[in-house]
Amino acid sequence: MKKLTVLLSVLVLAMGILAAGCGGGDKGDKKAAAPAPAAKEELIVGTEPSFAPFEFPEKDSKEFTGFDMDLIRAIAKEMGYKKCTIKNMGFDALIPAINTGNLDVAIAGFTITEERKQQVIFSQPYYKSGLAFVVRKDVNDVKSFEDLKGKTVAVQLGTTGALYGEKLKEKGTTLKTFNTSDLACMELKNKGADAVISDLPVLQYFLKNGGSEYAKLVGNPLTAEDYGIVISKKKPELAKDVDKALDALRKNGTYDKLYEKWFGKKPEK
Ligand code: GLN
């Protein structure tokens, strides 16, 4: 009888432990899980939206669209932000706004340059680009960059294209600088300029979307440049988080999906 009582109590005890292992699991899990990170409210992003297919106004909407816009919205989401607000500024106002803290990040087809690296942190490179130029269709004596001497060239203020254009000035080229890339192309259309120096993917998009009626691409790409997202030197943690989010988006296929959406091909590895 005593033996039976011992056996029974062992059985009851075992069942109790089993029950705790199943039903009680819920309670246990909650206790063990790390506290959910507090959702961050808002990521404030600056851009200059005259740079299709990277950033440009969406048709019939107040929103901006493009590869950069999709990418930064995905990055903000990946980082846990509830909201991603995009502000429109002049290209040359973006780095100062980063440094005064008015923006968290800036994305605007920014080429990673040594000079800019003195002022801000860049994320890891996210797009391979480079400079090129188009000339008006009726300009037939320009076959290479050298032939731009003596011509009128339009560029966008504060860009690598504008810096490159400076090299032509001593060769007798007239350089016209505009606040936006659209205005530089408009000058070409209006015959106020013979050529526009800008980023190759932007010029290709422009030609494909009406520009080829009055402009043509000439010569080979002038440079190889990498785009990066701009972050303040005062926010190294934010820069690390942006890179981590970019890594995650590359791993989970979002980056490739967005690249294919905007450029119709897979990114170069
Ligand atoms: N990639 C060029 C630069 O960084 C042009 C950028 C732009 O016009 N948005 O200067």
Side-chain angles (χ1 to χ4, degrees):
M1 191 62 203
K2 210 177 170 194
K3 255 190 193 165
L4 194 68
T5 320
V6 172
L7 197 72
L8 266 175
S9 34
V10 167
L11 252 175
V12 166
L13 201 75
M15 277 172 77
I17 289 170
L18 262 178
C22 308
D26 219 21
K27 225 161 128 200
D29 278 357
K30 251 186 213 152
K31 230 178 172 182
K40 291 165 251 174
E41 280 305 315
E42 186 181 21
L43 184 74
I44 313 232
V45 179
T47 197
E48 193 290 294
S50 75
F51 211 59
F54 296 92
E55 38 270 326
F56 58 105
E58 187 157 14
K59 220 175 151 229
D60 305 322
S61 153
K62 283 186 196 138
E63 301 281 331
F64 300 125
T65 188
F67 178 67
D68 284 355
M69 301 294 94
D70 279 354
L71 187 64
I72 200 67
R73 287 185 184 115
I75 287 172
K77 201 167 158 207
E78 180 66 36
M79 285 165 74
Y81 283 94
K82 281 195 210 157
K83 209 171 150 197
C84 176
T85 302
I86 298 180
K87 291 192 176 175
N88 170 3
M89 289 187 180
F91 186 72
D92 62 332
L94 290 168
I95 287 184
I98 282 289
N99 285 332
T100 53
N102 288 340
L103 297 174
D104 293 319
V105 301
I107 186 164
F110 265 104
T111 301
I112 302 173
T113 68
E114 284 311 313
E115 197 205 351
R116 289 175 181 155
K117 273 205 231 163
Q118 312 285 318
Q119 306 171 56
V120 290
I121 307 179
F122 276 103
S123 71
Q124 57 171 284
Y126 70 87
Y127 183 85
K128 281 189 191 314
S129 189
L131 291 174
F133 67 94
V134 291
V135 296
R136 257 194 357 261
K137 248 187 165 171
D138 58 305
V139 175
N140 291 317
D141 53 349
V142 176
K143 302 271 181 264
S144 71
F145 186 70
E146 294 304 309
D147 298 333
L148 288 176
K149 52 181 177 246
K151 300 282 181 203
T152 301
V153 175
V155 291
Q156 183 184 4
L157 183 68
T159 60
T160 48
L163 267 182
Y164 208 88
E166 287 291 326
K167 292 186 192 170
L168 287 166
K169 261 176 142 177
E170 55 217 54
K171 293 181 179 152
T173 298
T174 308
L175 200 64
K176 287 190 175 174
T177 306
F178 295 88
N179 276 333
T180 70
S181 180
D182 290 344
L183 287 173
C185 291
M186 192 67 82
E187 189 70 1
L188 186 92
K189 187 177 184 183
N190 296 338
K191 302 202 171 179
D194 303 303
V196 173
I197 304 176
S198 186
D199 294 20
L200 178 62
V202 171
L203 292 175
Q204 283 170 331
Y205 189 92
F206 154 76
L207 290 175
K208 230 169 131 186
N209 291 277
S212 61
E213 271 175 41
Y214 54 92
K216 60 187 176 189
L217 201 61
V218 173
N220 297 319
L222 305 170
T223 58
E225 303 184 1
D226 280 323
Y227 290 169
I229 299 163
V230 174
I231 303 126
S232 164
K233 285 206 175 194
K234 290 180 209 134
K235 298 179 184 166
E237 286 308 317
L238 179 63
K240 265 189 216 149
D241 289 347
V242 167
D243 273 347
K244 253 191 244 161
L246 255 168
D247 282 341
L249 297 180
R250 284 189 202 272
K251 233 182 232 162
N252 71 17
T254 306
Y255 175 88
D256 283 16
K257 217 172 77 195
L258 294 179
Y259 195 102
E260 278 193 72
K261 169 180 168 189
W262 288 102
F263 306 108
K265 57 182 180 192
K266 286 201 163 37
E268 289 168 39
K269 294 283 169 194

